[in-house]
């Protein structure tokens, strides 16, 4: 047990200090071609201390909960030494102190579910993917349940429960060539697995992999394109979300630098980051004890805000957004939560009918973004030719590239649907759960 009163006294050091104490348990099941490749579990945790002395930080971590006093002193000494050599000013944006206990709203704690039941869902996914040209499958299941305590020298004390459950499914089809397709489902409690139709999700991956075997290659050049919510989400996350992270802005590595209040897209583009909506990137407080809130990054084409830690908000004299996030015992840095384009007025069928010729792009196989130069390149999972307002030939090898601002300016329609994908985002060696999506968008892009 942690002595709260003693800890409060210990944190009265430097200009500012905070501590995070984490404890968690995780489980993993990996199935390859119908055979269990791995079943593992682990317990981990530790202590993270940050101390600010004037204009320098000291940072120390340990897995030993009995070493907290030494850890705080160590971080304090590092901050004092570093302050002698720094030439930058650290300004932490003021926030109200808060005392709170955050409980998970999940209905089924994965800790209460027997490993055999979890295994049955993994096997069910394999059984509904294998066969009919599908020659290989892989299914991975993971869950993590954790507890954290955050305390600061300003009086904030937050106890939080954390929980994540996710399953990835991949099918590989073969008929001369190889094609693969994947699906994923995730959320907080185990009910996301029980309530998902695993059979249909698996069959969807299977059917897509087979369909890609016989799809024609996607044509190259500039086209009117419709991006489904998954690919829209990846574009919004990678090209817009990362470019709006204030640490990248301060590093001169964002196409949005010095553009607050300026038009960066069409009037149909409103991009929001919000840990308050239900999604894989949801949370109540970030890892600096700041309450998460909705942040409108772009509103009707105009850049409104960046995403911040307390330090970046202080340096840019902007409002805090609650986007300081850390994986495990790492430093909190600016990260997204659930990032999406605000739904518009179109039904998908109406949008399709209004598009006489173009390409419909579905899903994402990843890509690259240069946030400083404002360039991107993504690969869609599959595509379909649009002719006379109807989907016709299935297509494969669809690459999407161009300038971020050009894509945003050319958006002329957004559908009413709202879907968030689940996954993890990597940055500076850290990975945190995020959601991204919104509706489908229509724009003009180069396919390569």
């Amino acid at each position: 047990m942690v002595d709260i009163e003693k800890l409060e006294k210990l944190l009265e050091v430097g200009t500012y200090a905070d501590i995070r104490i984490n404890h968690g348990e995780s489980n993993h099941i990996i199935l390859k071609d119908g055979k269990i490749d791995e079943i593992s579990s682990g317990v981990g945790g530790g202590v993270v201390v940050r101390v600010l002395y004037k204009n320098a930080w000291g940072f120390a971590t340990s897995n030993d909960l009995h070493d907290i006093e030494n850890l705080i002193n160590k971080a304090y000494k590092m901050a004092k030494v570093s302050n002698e050599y720094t030439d930058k000013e650290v300004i932490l944006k003021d926030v109200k102190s808060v005392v709170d206990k955050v409980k998970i709203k999940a209905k089924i704690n994965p800790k209460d579910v027997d490993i055999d039941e979890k295994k049955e869902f993994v096997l069910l996914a394999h059984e509904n993917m294998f066969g009919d040209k599908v020659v290989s499958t892989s299914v991975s299941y993971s869950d993590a349940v954790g507890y954290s305590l955050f305390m600061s020298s300003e009086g904030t004390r937050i106890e939080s429960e954390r929980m994540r459950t996710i399953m990835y499914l991949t099918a590989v089809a073969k008929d001369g060539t190889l094609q693969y397709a994947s699906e994923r489902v995730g959320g907080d409690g185990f009910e996301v697995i029980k309530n998902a139709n695993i059979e249909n999700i698996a069959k969807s991956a299977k059917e897509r992999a087979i369909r890609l075997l016989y799809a024609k290659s996607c044509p190259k050049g500039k086209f009117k394109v419709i991006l489904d919510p998954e690919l829209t989400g990846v574009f919004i996350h990678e090209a817009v979300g990362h470019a709006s992270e204030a640490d990248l802005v301060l590093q001169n590595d964002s196409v949005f630098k010095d553009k607050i209040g300026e038009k960066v897209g069409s009037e149909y583009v409103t991009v929001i980051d919000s840990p308050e909506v239900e999604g894989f990137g949801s949370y109540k407080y970030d890892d600096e004890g700041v309450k998460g809130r909705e942040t409108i990054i772009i509103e009707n084409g105009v850049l409104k805000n960046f995403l911040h830690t307390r330090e970046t908000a202080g340096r840019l004299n902007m409002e805090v957004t609650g986007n300081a996030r850390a994986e495990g015992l790492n430093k909190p840095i600016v990260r997204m939560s659930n990032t999406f384009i605000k739904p518009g007025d179109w039904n998908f069928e109406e949008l399709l009918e209004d598009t006489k010729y173009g390409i419909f792009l579905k899903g994402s196989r990843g890509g690259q973004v240069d946030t400083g130069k404002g360039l991107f390149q993504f690969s869609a999972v599959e595509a379909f030719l649009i002719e006379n307002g109807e989907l016709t030939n299935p297509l494969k090898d669809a690459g999407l590239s161009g300038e971020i601002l050009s894509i945003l300016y050319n958006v002329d329609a957004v559908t009413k649907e709202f879907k968030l994908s689940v996954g993890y985002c990597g940055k500076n060696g850290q990975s945190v759960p995020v959601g991204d999506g919104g509706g489908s968008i229509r724009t003009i892009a180069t396919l390569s």
Side-chain angles (χ1 to χ4, degrees), residues 107-108 121 185 190-198 201:
K107 296 178 181 178
I108 305 176
F121 281 98
V185 57
F190 192 75
E191 66 270 13
V192 299
I193 304 298
K194 293 194 73 169
N195 295 339
N197 192 325
I198 297 298
I201 292 172

Side-chain angles (χ1 to χ4, degrees), residues 99-130:
V99 177
D100 198 3
K101 291 186 177 182
V102 181
K103 296 286 187 180
I104 292 294
K105 297 179 181 179
K107 296 178 181 178
I108 305 176
N109 189 325
K111 286 177 61 176
D112 299 329
V113 181
D114 189 83
I115 193 70
D116 285 330
E117 183 176 353
K118 297 172 183 178
K119 187 182 70 174
E120 287 304 313
F121 281 98
V122 173
L123 288 168
L124 183 64
H126 160 75
E127 290 165 1
N128 283 276
M129 283 193 295
F130 196 75

Side-chain angles (χ1 to χ4, degrees), residues 263-275:
K263 196 171 180 63
V264 295
S266 77
E267 62 184 288
Y268 302 98
V269 177
T270 294
V271 175
I272 298 169
D273 182 89
S274 177

Side-chain angles (χ1 to χ4, degrees), residues 30-37 119 122-127 129-130 135-139 170:
I30 298 176
L31 188 81
K32 180 68 175 175
D33 296 333
K35 296 181 180 179
I36 297 293
D37 192 52
K119 187 182 70 174
V122 173
L123 288 168
L124 183 64
H126 160 75
E127 290 165 1
M129 283 193 295
F130 196 75
V135 295
S136 180
T137 69
S138 62
V139 185
T170 301

Side-chain angles (χ1 to χ4, degrees), residues 46-63:
V47 186
V48 185
V49 173
R50 293 193 310 168
V51 175
L52 176 66
Y53 179 78
K54 295 184 179 179
N55 292 307
W57 288 98
F59 183 80
T61 69
S62 175
N63 297 112

Side-chain angles (χ1 to χ4, degrees), residues 17-36:
D18 65 32
I19 185 169
R20 299 194 329 268
I21 300 174
N22 296 332
H23 175 78
E25 302 177 32
S26 61
N27 295 281
H28 307 277
I29 303 173
I30 298 176
L31 188 81
K32 180 68 175 175
D33 296 333
K35 296 181 180 179
I36 297 293

